[in-house]
Amino acid sequence: METLANLESFVRSAEGASFSAAARRLGLTPAAVSRNVAMLERNLGVRLFHRSTRKLTLTDSGERFLLAIKDNLEGLQQAISGVATDGGEPAGVLKVSMGLTFGADYILPLMPAFLARYPRIRLDWQFATRQVDLIAEGYDAAIGGGIEWQAGIVSRALAPLHLIAVASPEYLKTRKPPTDPADLAHYDGIAWRSSRTGRIRERLMRNAAGAEIPVRLAETIVLDDPEATCRAALLGLGVTLIAVSHALPHLERGSLVRLLPQWYSDGGPISLYYATRTLLPSKTRVFVDFVVQAFKRDRLAERFAGSLG
């Protein structure tokens, strides 16, 4: 009878097309995953992978074996997970990716209460604006907005990603306020270039009445990070579009002013993503539930909405 470690190493290596990807997901070294797969191949008497320096590809035997065991493996893992957590508590390393500013402002402050409730969970977080591959990079979850994830990724919406036009009071002292989104093109613009696509996106601003007007800021300054665009606006360098969640602390302090308060751009939802429902580890499940409940309790979806009605 094959060990679960050998079978899981094989399945995860097949999903990520590499031992390294499987190792990150399983919390092992690539060498350990490779040894597990090699032992499985020896025991079965067949080669499961074609190996190259770039990636792994399944042999015909490997494809048939993967098809035969994958669903059974997941059922076995679920059964083991259920038994292991009966009467116990969530534990282990929780690896999560999110943007620095959003994470520091809204997620990190939840952690004292979360860790007091679940003291056996350890946090391993990456703060980055790039889109991560949850499975290949071994993340338990990610938080972000305006991201298209691959099939099989589950998402829980936390709040809307609404972008609004802002500038500093100093910048606006000698300038007339805009009357509609098209006027924004006449100001010094702090444009945001996507680090993923390399493009500056033209936004569509809308109001509660349903009117829509396209807007593209003058490219006086072009930056590739939302926090940098916010800092540039705080320095009085021009007008920019940033998420309400990002702007909110500065609006409350008066260091930024919202322009066109009836208008906003809808960037989709800010969501919490994870790889699967059926095999969700208890550490991930309680994290997801805790964050979702905190956002509801603090009414953050309403606070992040760009529409004023």
Side-chain angles (χ1 to χ4, degrees), residues 179-199:
T179 58
D180 66 48
D183 288 344
L184 295 177
H186 304 306
Y187 296 82
D188 297 304
I190 307 167
W192 177 71
R193 185 192 306 279
S194 170
S195 57
R196 183 168 61 90
T197 66
R199 296 194 299 269

Side-chain angles (χ1 to χ4, degrees), residues 16 25 30 61 87-88 96-97 109 125 145 192 198-199 202 211 224 259 261 282 301 305:
R25 185 170 181 185
S61 296
V96 184
S97 173
W125 290 5
W192 177 71
R199 296 194 299 269
E202 182 177 284
D224 71 347
L259 306 173
S282 59

Side-chain angles (χ1 to χ4, degrees), residues 161-172:
L161 177 60
H162 287 172
L163 291 90
I164 57 175
V166 299
S168 71
E170 290 75 16
Y171 180 80
L172 297 172

Side-chain angles (χ1 to χ4, degrees), residues 107-120:
I107 307 299
L108 203 56
L110 303 177
M111 289 303 99
F114 177 78
L115 294 176
R117 184 180 300 181
Y118 305 109
R120 295 182 61 195

Side-chain angles (χ1 to χ4, degrees), residues 164-235:
I164 57 175
V166 299
S168 71
E170 290 75 16
Y171 180 80
L172 297 172
K173 275 181 180 178
T174 59
R175 294 170 174 85
K176 290 179 61 177
T179 58
D180 66 48
D183 288 344
L184 295 177
H186 304 306
Y187 296 82
D188 297 304
I190 307 167
W192 177 71
R193 185 192 306 279
S194 170
S195 57
R196 183 168 61 90
T197 66
R199 296 194 299 269
I200 299 173
R201 181 176 171 182
E202 182 177 284
R203 295 284 181 179
L204 192 68
M205 297 194 80
R206 62 182 61 168
N207 62 16
E212 295 183 334
I213 297 178
V215 59
R216 181 163 181 168
L217 299 176
E219 297 172 14
T220 309
I221 299 174
V222 178
L223 303 170
D224 71 347
D225 182 87
E227 174 60 21
T229 62
C230 183
R231 296 288 185 93
L234 288 167
L235 291 170

Side-chain angles (χ1 to χ4, degrees), residues 13 50 76 90 102 166 168 171 227 230 237 273 286 290-291 293 295 300 309:
S13 296
H50 296 296
L76 180 59
F102 186 86
V166 299
S168 71
Y171 180 80
E227 174 60 21
C230 183
L237 296 177
Y273 301 87
V286 296
F290 193 90
V291 172
Q293 290 167 9
F295 269 63
L300 290 180

